[in-house]
Amino acid sequence: METSSGSEAEAEVTVPVNSATHSKFVKERAEIEQNYAKQLRTLSKKYSRRGVKEDQDTKPSNQQAFQDVLNQLNDYAAQREQLSESMTLSICVELSRNLQELRQERKNHLCEVKKAQQNLESSSKLLETSKKRFEKEWREAEKANQQTEKVQLDANATRADVEKAKQHAHLRVHLADECKNDYASQLQKYNNEQNNFYHSEIPSVYKKLQEMEERRIRLLADGYVQFSETEKNVLPNINKCLDAISSTGRNINEKQDTLALIEQYRSGAAPPADVEFEDYSQGVKAAASDNTTTHLPKVRIKQLFHKKNKVTSSDKNTPSSLEDLSRLPPDQRRRRLQEKFDDIQKELQRETEQSEAMMKMKGVYEQNSQLGDPSSLQPQIIQTAHNIAKLRGELNKYQVQLTEAGGGTLQHYPASSEYITVLSESSVSPSENIYECEFDEDFDIDVPIGQCTALYDFDGGSEGAVSMHVGEQLSLMQEDQGDGWVRVQRANGDVGYVPASYIQII
């Protein structure tokens, strides 16, 4: 017995989980999900790269896949937020409402028990009072009977004293009998109330409490089930996000990415020739090395895997802006020139279609003046014609550079007679015909911007460069753009690039 009692005393007491505890648990779990989703969104935003859609489409598959993973991570975070919201609304709110109802019901049942206990205690006090009164009156009656017997045995007592004592004793006995009857009645009433309290009222209240507890436990159990079902409902969408991430990883084409990287940074320059043997024992003078140092910029190997050459969005969005691409290796220069050429062609096509549409609309207005005023379209037609002339000029510039880089045959894109007519007929000042004038100047005559003198000899062995000798007078065609090279023209008409430090501008 002692061992059993000791083991029971040492046993751990488990506190039952109530609805309030479960509601608090679900609320904290929902907060964890909310914070988790917020952190996922912050992480995704931190590593996401923004850019124009054209830049995103030209990314290697592994970089695009990483952006897709971040997008799916955003969707995953959204599912976590939905899970948190569902837990808060469907579980916490419902449990809180049920908990309030159960508390009120339990309070009512306890009030019933307390009221029954008070009634029983009040009856018990009345019973104790009647009992004490009966006890007191019975003792007084016995004392009166003894006094009567004593008076009867007294020889000196008169008949009147005896009668008086008998009457007093009879009165006391009568009062004692009344107290006895009252005590018996109160005792019967108390016993009935006590039996009703322990056999009817208390069991009834306990049964109601038991039923209430069973409902509470069932609500708690349903809350556990709902807790699980709520998360199961979002699992299909979460699995879709994870499957999409897996599919993105499987779709990465590593061979295509490496080939694209090679194509992007391929220079196209031919490797240097073998170094010839110079036999000094035969009295041969050391020949100048054909492998002269090329001053054109080179692409470092580590740059291929670090960051791409930065191209501003303005260069992407405005293909008509001219760039000096002579610093790039031949293949890269040819590819960039081709991209610029294609962009300008697309823009020229759009401007041409817009101009044709306005010319047709003008013709319709001229035939039927009620539809509109033809002169109202003239400013737009003139502006479009200017744009087309400018684009054609830039197209020819890039065509010339592309032909020099070995990317195609030279094709001249003259301004259409239709647009020349529009420009000539329009009431614009000579300064406003700047596009047509620039077109003629750029491709008919290449005007020098200054004169310079060569300070050193330069062999011009690299592509795009021109040779010169010390003291030679040159025409300066283009100043240094920050790369250390200037464009010059020799007296014989050769045009090319020379180091800016090798000349002195006059």
Side-chain angles (χ1 to χ4, degrees):
M1 293 297 293
E2 294 178 357
T3 305
S4 176
S5 300
S7 60
E8 291 178 359
E10 295 175 358
E12 182 180 359
V13 178
T14 303
V15 179
V17 178
N18 54 30
S19 300
T21 304
H22 182 58
S23 178
K24 184 178 179 182
F25 163 75
V26 175
K27 183 178 180 181
E28 292 182 1
R29 169 65 190 279
E31 290 177 354
I32 291 175
E33 291 291 347
Q34 186 70 27
N35 293 333
Y36 179 47
K38 182 178 180 181
Q39 292 176 0
L40 287 178
R41 288 190 182 279
T42 303
L43 180 66
S44 176
K45 183 178 180 181
K46 176 181 178 182
Y47 286 93
S48 294
R49 292 183 179 180
R50 295 178 175 82
V52 295
K53 189 176 185 301
E54 290 76 6
D55 293 340
Q56 297 177 357
D57 294 340
T58 57
K59 286 181 179 179
S61 62
N62 62 89
Q63 295 184 13
Q64 184 60 42
F66 182 64
Q67 296 301 316
D68 294 340
V69 169
L70 296 178
N71 294 334
Q72 293 299 327
L73 190 62
N74 264 330
D75 297 340
Y76 181 86
Q79 297 303 320
R80 287 296 174 184
E81 288 178 345
Q82 182 180 354
L83 174 60
S84 174
E85 184 178 356
S86 299
M87 286 183 176
T88 302
L89 296 179
S90 62
I91 299 180
C92 293
V93 175
E94 188 69 17
L95 281 177
S96 298
R97 183 179 63 82
N98 293 330
L99 178 61
Q100 187 67 23
E101 294 177 356
L102 290 173
R103 284 177 176 174
Q104 185 62 37
E105 184 178 354
R106 180 175 179 272
K107 182 179 180 180
N108 294 337
H109 293 328
L110 294 179
C111 287
E112 292 179 6
V113 174
K114 186 177 181 180
K115 184 177 180 181
Q117 287 179 341
Q118 289 176 351
N119 292 336
L120 186 61
E121 290 176 357
S122 177
S123 180
S124 176
K125 291 179 179 179
L126 293 175
L127 176 62
E128 188 67 23
T129 301
S130 62
K131 179 182 177 181
K132 291 181 178 180
R133 183 181 177 188
F134 167 63
E135 181 182 5
K136 179 181 178 181
E137 292 298 331
W138 183 253
R139 289 178 180 176
E140 290 293 334
E142 287 183 343
K143 185 177 179 182
N145 288 332
Q146 291 176 2
Q147 185 66 25
T148 302
E149 291 178 358
K150 184 177 180 182
V151 170
Q152 288 178 350
L153 295 177
D154 187 6
N156 296 325
T158 63
R159 185 180 181 89
D161 293 335
V162 174
E163 288 295 330
K164 184 179 179 179
K166 286 181 178 181
Q167 290 178 0
H168 180 70
H170 180 73
L171 179 61
R172 286 297 179 181
V173 171
H174 179 71
L175 291 175
D177 289 338
E178 289 181 354
C179 291
K180 179 180 179 181
N181 294 333
D182 182 61
Y183 169 63
S185 175
Q186 192 65 37
L187 179 62
Q188 184 179 2
K189 181 181 178 182
Y190 174 78
N191 288 333
N192 291 335
E193 291 181 355
Q194 181 175 253
N195 290 332
N196 184 54
F197 178 79
Y198 286 105
H199 294 88
S200 178
E201 293 181 350
I202 290 299
S204 176
V205 173
Y206 283 170
K207 185 177 181 180
K208 293 178 182 179
L209 289 173
Q210 180 181 358
E211 293 174 353
M212 184 197 70
E213 182 67 12
E214 290 174 357
R215 292 200 312 273
R216 186 193 68 82
I217 294 175
R218 176 43 52 192
L219 289 173
L220 197 61
D222 293 341
Y224 296 155
V225 175
Q226 193 174 8
F227 179 80
S228 176
E229 294 297 330
T230 302
E231 188 158 2
K232 284 183 179 179
N233 291 336
V234 299
L235 282 180
N237 295 332
I238 291 178
N239 290 333
K240 286 182 182 179
C241 297
L242 298 178
D243 292 341
I245 293 176
S246 300
S247 177
T248 299
R250 297 189 189 98
N251 292 335
I252 294 178
N253 190 335
E254 62 277 6
K255 293 185 178 296
Q256 182 179 352
D257 287 357
T258 53
L259 291 176
L261 184 67
I262 293 172
E263 181 65 23
Q264 179 181 358
Y265 291 101
R266 186 175 60 182
S267 66
D274 294 341
V275 179
E276 296 181 358
F277 177 74
E278 301 177 5
D279 191 356
Y280 291 97
S281 62
Q282 301 297 328
V284 177
K285 184 179 180 181
S289 176
D290 293 336
N291 301 326
T292 57
T293 303
T294 301
H295 296 276
L296 293 176
K298 299 180 181 179
V299 178
R300 299 181 182 274
I301 297 299
K302 64 180 181 180
Q303 293 177 349
L304 303 182
F305 305 97
H306 188 233
K307 289 185 178 179
K308 296 175 63 177
N309 294 333
K310 293 184 178 179
V311 180
T312 60
S313 59
S314 60
D315 295 336
K316 282 284 185 179
N317 297 331
T318 57
S320 59
S321 60
L322 297 178
E323 293 182 4
D324 184 12
L325 305 176
S326 59
R327 297 170 294 172
L328 298 176
D331 278 10
Q332 295 185 32
R333 179 189 180 195
R334 185 163 49 249
R335 183 172 59 255
R336 290 290 300 279
L337 287 172
Q338 187 64 49
E339 292 175 357
K340 289 289 183 182
F341 186 81
D342 295 341
D343 291 341
I344 295 176
Q345 275 190 328
K346 292 179 182 178
E347 188 175 350
L348 179 60
Q349 181 65 25
R350 289 195 298 267
E351 292 288 343
T352 303
E353 293 175 355
Q354 182 179 357
S355 177
E356 292 175 354
M358 286 190 293
M359 294 297 291
K360 290 180 180 179
M361 186 178 297
K362 180 181 179 182
V364 173
Y365 287 173
E366 290 175 349
Q367 295 177 3
N368 189 352
S369 59
Q370 294 180 355
L371 297 177
D373 183 10
S375 60
S376 62
L377 298 176
Q378 192 65 21
Q380 300 179 21
I381 294 176
I382 295 174
Q383 182 62 40
T384 305
H386 286 181
N387 295 340
I388 291 176
K390 179 181 178 182
L391 289 173
R392 287 182 180 276
E394 293 179 358
L395 196 66
N396 280 301
K397 292 180 182 180
Y398 280 111
Q399 177 64 38
V400 171
Q401 296 184 30
L402 187 60
T403 303
E404 293 177 354
T409 58
L410 179 61
Q411 297 180 359
H412 188 65
Y413 295 87
S416 173
S417 60
E418 177 183 358
Y419 304 117
I420 296 177
T421 302
V422 170
L423 292 175
S424 61
E425 292 179 353
S426 61
S427 57
V428 295
S429 62
S431 61
E432 292 178 350
N433 285 329
I434 184 172
Y435 301 116
E436 186 178 359
C437 296
E438 286 184 355
F439 170 80
D440 296 336
E441 292 175 359
D442 289 340
F443 292 94
D444 293 342
I445 302 175
D446 201 357
V447 180
I449 60 175
Q451 299 294 323
C452 59
T453 304
L455 300 177
Y456 309 99
D457 289 336
F458 181 66
D459 55 8
S462 58
E463 183 178 355
V466 66
S467 62
M468 64 180 181
H469 305 289
V470 177
E472 183 178 357
Q473 298 291 328
L474 304 169
S475 297
L476 182 63
M477 311 302 293
Q478 184 179 355
E479 295 182 348
D480 183 8
Q481 302 296 321
D483 55 355
W485 293 81
V486 295
R487 189 164 176 260
V488 299
Q489 183 179 11
R490 300 182 66 185
N492 59 4
D494 293 342
V495 180
Y497 289 90
V498 298
S501 59
Y502 279 36
I503 64 169
Q504 182 179 7
I505 299 176
I506 302 175

